[in-house]
Amino acid sequence: MNYMEIYNQWLESDYFDAETKKELENIKGNEKEIEDRFYTDLEFGTAGLRGIIAAGTNRINIYTVRRATFGLANYIIKNTTEEEKNRGVVIAHDNRNMSREFCLEAANTLAACGIKAYIFDSLRTTPELSFAVRKLHTIAGIVITASHNPPEYNGYKVYWEDGAQVMPEIASAITAEVNAIKDYSTIPTIKEEQKDLVVILGAEQDTAFIEAVKTQVIKTELVKKVGQEFKIVYTPLCGTGNVPVTRALSEVGFKNVIVVPEEQNPDPNFAGIEYPNPEEHKALTRGIALAKDEGADLVIATDPDCDRVGVAVKTTTGEYALLTGNQIGAMLTNYIIESSKEENKLDPKATLVKTIVTSEFGADIARANNLDVINVLTGFKFIGQKIKSFEETGDRTYLFGYEESYGYLVGTHARDKDGVVASLLISEMAAYYYDKGMSLYEGLQELYKKYGYFREKTISLTLKGIEGLAKIKEIITYFRENEIKEFNNTKVVDLKDYQDGIDDLPKANVLKYFLEDGSWIAVRPSGTEPKLKFYVAVKGEDEAKCLEKIANIEADINKIIDQVK
């Protein structure tokens, strides 16, 4: 059927509710909108769904959530033992519009398929979901979130029994099951006798998670020493982080934490923040203003599902600057190594895990301390996979894992990036410098002097809709099929095409250019948004030289894009 036939089917079928039909009636005559909503199914990608909340097959709504869950249930039923299936699935959700409704739809659909569903009484963080999968020993997990996307979005991510998002082979098999569901009315609905299969989790699950997070503190006495006076401004950006982050900080000894009042409570509209992304300076506007008023030492922001963390620090001029994900990750790498050494806790088999688009700053620090570094594909599940293999073989131990997009995991209690434990360790690290009479910013400058000056930039090209998707494919194909000899008048000495399945990694649609001066450029389409991303990383004598290199490389990238357009 074409998109108009499917649209009319949704209008005419008794399966879809009156509210959905009313919404669809309101777009009658708007063929472009109808096409965009119905020309395809919302793609069940590498870990699940993400889309605009609205009626239609290419939108996220109660029906597409049911369909995704029925596909997951069918995969579990066909590919696991009875014992594994009976372990059930745990579901969490964030503060977004329809998150609770989607959580309940998923739970009821699982129960209708005879699979137990554990749900929390209200919103919870993504890392707690990852922890709960392992703690409850479930076969899978689901989290309803669209991370840091704008308010009109929501999403659905699937985790497997190890607590990490599903790996590509499982994701592909689940996708096949979802795609096999052509008729929404065949999805089973929960019967009265199945309602006991939906189980509400209690507060003991939260306490177990917080206790696991607290064990990651390295210098407990230091935290107690300065925790009363060291001042932190924190914002959960109206998401899930407020309760667990402030609880963890308080229980280890950080007693001077001020939460941004406008952003402390869950709000699906994010208190007017257009893009609740802790990577963006605008998202921290209120937090920085409050920090200036209070004379705070540190500003921490977590995204709505509390798996990413942004940090603003006071500079030598008294202004607050945002640290990049690469800077935070490198500083944490250094702090964990040095502090573990001081406490005689550093395992010689400890290994740093980072993604192929993450700076070499942290990797250089680890190697300088005679520790190994492993690179994985973009996506924290690949870091989680390494933790699992380390535990199974015993050849290595996990030191720390991070990615440039503000995701960090200290410890192995979760298998996804954890904004709660990262907030705790960032605070501890900042308190360590504070005790030495230094700011985090000054600590960063020290590391640059020791290891060299690193600078990175991510350039995102957003191209929405059918035409946008085609253009993204066209641009990356151009890069793949045409020899590019230089960027910034600097010779390309190597090109890695990860689509070929190289470096013992799964195949991925990523290109990475290595330049003669040690700089590199990576090109990859986003797995969750209609974006083509270019990652630029340089190393130089100082900030000015690095920024000049980046500007020249960006100009060269834009010239190539303009040629394709």
Side-chain angles (χ1 to χ4, degrees):
M1 286 192 289
N2 64 32
Y3 63 85
M4 193 58 77
E5 289 170 327
I6 300 169
Y7 166 71
N8 286 323
Q9 184 187 58
W10 276 52
L11 277 177
E12 294 161 9
S13 171
D14 291 338
Y15 180 74
F16 301 100
D17 64 31
E19 192 176 335
T20 296
K21 291 180 179 180
K22 184 179 177 183
E23 181 184 334
L24 294 176
E25 287 280 0
N26 288 337
I27 61 168
K28 258 192 176 174
N30 186 345
E31 186 154 347
K32 188 165 180 58
E33 178 68 13
I34 294 169
E35 179 185 26
D36 194 48
R37 290 195 190 202
F38 288 95
Y39 84 94
T40 187
D41 292 318
L42 186 63
E43 185 180 355
F44 192 96
T46 53
L49 308 169
R50 186 173 296 183
I52 293 169
I53 305 163
T57 58
N58 191 31
R59 296 290 186 267
I60 191 163
N61 49 64
I62 60 171
Y63 302 107
T64 52
V65 166
R66 283 179 194 169
R67 181 173 181 258
T69 309
F70 188 36
L72 171 62
N74 287 336
Y75 175 81
I76 291 170
I77 290 164
K78 293 176 185 177
N79 295 279
T80 67
T81 65
E82 193 67 16
E83 181 275 328
E84 288 170 332
K85 187 197 89 167
N86 289 339
R87 290 194 232 145
V89 177
V90 59
I91 310 170
H93 69 83
D94 69 6
N95 57 298
R96 288 177 176 273
N97 288 307
M98 297 298 291
S99 281
R100 186 66 181 175
E101 289 87 341
F102 293 163
C103 170
L104 294 173
E105 288 290 346
N108 288 339
T109 302
L110 287 167
C113 296
I115 298 171
K116 184 182 288 187
Y118 297 93
I119 62 173
F120 294 91
D121 58 353
S122 65
L123 76 177
R124 291 299 189 281
T125 68
T126 289
E128 184 166 347
L129 181 280
S130 175
F131 173 82
V133 169
R134 301 179 70 242
K135 181 72 175 173
L136 296 169
H137 198 48
T138 60
I139 189 62
I142 299 167
V143 63
I144 307 295
T145 181
S147 189
H148 52 271
N149 279 67
E152 63 269 23
Y153 282 81
N154 213 325
Y156 177 111
K157 293 193 290 190
V158 180
Y159 291 70
W160 204 237
E161 61 181 329
D162 60 341
Q165 290 182 43
V166 286
M167 296 302 290
E169 59 274 16
I170 295 179
S172 295
I174 295 171
T175 300
E177 291 291 348
V178 174
N179 290 343
I181 303 162
K182 305 296 184 188
D183 183 352
Y184 283 82
S185 67
T186 61
I187 300 169
T189 53
I190 190 168
K191 299 182 177 71
E192 188 63 36
E193 63 270 21
Q194 295 169 317
K195 289 184 178 177
D196 287 346
L197 287 172
V198 179
V199 179
I200 306 288
L201 295 169
E204 66 274 6
Q205 191 65 36
D206 300 328
T207 298
F209 172 68
I210 294 296
E211 290 301 318
V213 165
K214 285 160 53 181
T215 63
Q216 300 309 317
V217 173
I218 304 168
K219 292 181 172 288
T220 53
E221 293 307 312
L222 169 77
V223 172
K224 289 173 186 172
K225 176 186 171 185
V226 302
Q228 295 284 350
E229 59 188 77
F230 183 75
K231 191 177 284 190
I232 302 166
V233 164
Y234 168 66
T235 173
L237 297 178
C238 304
T240 60
N242 192 17
V243 171
V245 170
T246 55
R247 178 179 174 183
L249 288 170
S250 175
E251 289 185 11
V252 301
F254 288 106
K255 302 297 184 182
N256 203 349
V257 180
I258 306 161
V259 182
V260 177
E262 300 94 330
E263 297 165 7
Q264 66 181 339
N265 295 321
D267 176 6
N269 297 311
F270 304 107
I273 302 168
E274 183 183 353
Y275 198 57
N277 184 352
E279 301 177 42
E280 303 285 341
H281 194 280
K282 279 172 70 176
L284 274 73
T285 300
R286 291 188 188 113
I288 291 171
L290 182 59
K292 286 179 179 177
D293 290 344
E294 295 285 345
D297 304 290
L298 178 68
V299 182
I300 294 176
T302 53
D303 68 345
D305 66 322
C306 196
D307 61 354
R308 298 174 195 256
V309 182
V311 174
V313 295
K314 195 184 289 185
T315 67
T316 49
T317 65
E319 290 300 309
Y320 287 81
L322 259 65
L323 298 183
T324 68
N326 282 309
Q327 289 169 333
I328 298 165
M331 291 194 78
L332 280 170
T333 299
N334 181 73
Y335 177 72
I336 292 165
I337 291 170
E338 295 299 332
S339 297
S340 297
K341 276 193 206 167
E342 290 170 17
E343 303 287 322
N344 293 314
K345 294 178 181 176
L346 186 62
D347 187 330
K349 294 192 294 184
T351 302
L352 177 71
V353 189
K354 71 174 194 66
T355 69
I356 58 173
V357 296
T358 296
S359 162
E360 292 299 306
F361 189 9
D364 281 3
I365 293 170
R367 292 185 188 111
N369 284 276
N370 299 311
L371 298 178
D372 285 340
V373 178
I374 290 180
N375 284 292
V376 296
L377 295 179
T378 306
F380 222 89
K381 60 184 167 231
F382 296 110
I383 295 176
Q385 183 187 40
K386 288 299 175 188
I387 298 172
K388 183 181 178 183
S389 74
F390 294 171
E391 290 180 349
E392 287 172 350
T393 65
D395 295 341
R396 301 174 183 272
T397 59
Y398 175 75
L399 174 77
F400 174 51
Y402 73 104
E403 55 188 5
E404 46 53 65
S405 54
Y406 296 67
Y408 325 95
L409 177 62
V410 187
T412 59
H413 57 285
R415 296 298 162 85
D416 204 347
K417 47 193 177 283
D418 180 358
V420 183
V421 79
S423 295
L424 192 59
L425 264 291
I426 290 165
S427 299
E428 180 188 338
M429 176 172 66
Y432 169 78
Y433 284 110
Y434 175 86
D435 191 50
K436 293 170 67 175
M438 298 171 63
S439 68
L440 259 187
Y441 180 81
E442 289 167 325
L444 176 63
Q445 302 313 310
E446 263 197 357
L447 290 182
Y448 280 145
K449 285 174 190 170
K450 186 173 180 180
Y451 294 102
Y453 203 96
F454 293 79
R455 195 72 184 213
E456 304 80 31
K457 183 174 184 179
T458 303
I459 304 155
S460 293
L461 181 65
T462 301
L463 296 163
K464 296 181 179 178
I466 311 169
E467 299 87 355
L469 184 63
K471 184 56 69 177
I472 286 170
K473 287 180 181 175
E474 188 180 347
I475 293 169
I476 198 165
T477 299
Y478 182 91
F479 274 88
R480 181 167 277 119
E481 293 180 354
N482 291 272
E483 185 184 4
I484 297 166
K485 295 181 178 179
E486 62 178 34
F487 291 91
N488 182 33
N489 296 316
T490 306
K491 186 180 175 185
V492 174
V493 293
D494 192 19
L495 169 61
K496 288 190 174 184
D497 188 345
Y498 290 90
Q499 192 163 268
D500 296 334
I502 57 174
D503 295 347
D504 294 322
L505 297 172
K507 293 180 180 181
N509 190 13
V510 183
L511 295 167
K512 192 170 181 180
Y513 299 85
F514 297 85
L515 308 188
E516 204 165 30
D517 65 353
S519 304
W520 57 260
I521 302 102
V523 189
R524 66 175 281 269
S526 169
T528 56
E529 299 171 277
K531 290 181 178 180
L532 184 62
K533 291 189 173 185
F534 298 86
Y535 302 82
V536 180
V538 302
K539 186 178 178 181
E541 299 166 30
D542 55 37
E543 182 175 21
K545 293 267 175 43
C546 285
L547 292 177
E548 184 184 353
K549 283 185 181 183
I550 287 173
N552 291 339
I553 290 170
E554 184 172 6
D556 288 343
I557 289 169
N558 287 331
K559 281 179 195 169
I560 295 169
I561 292 170
D562 289 341
Q563 285 176 26
V564 182
K565 284 183 175 178

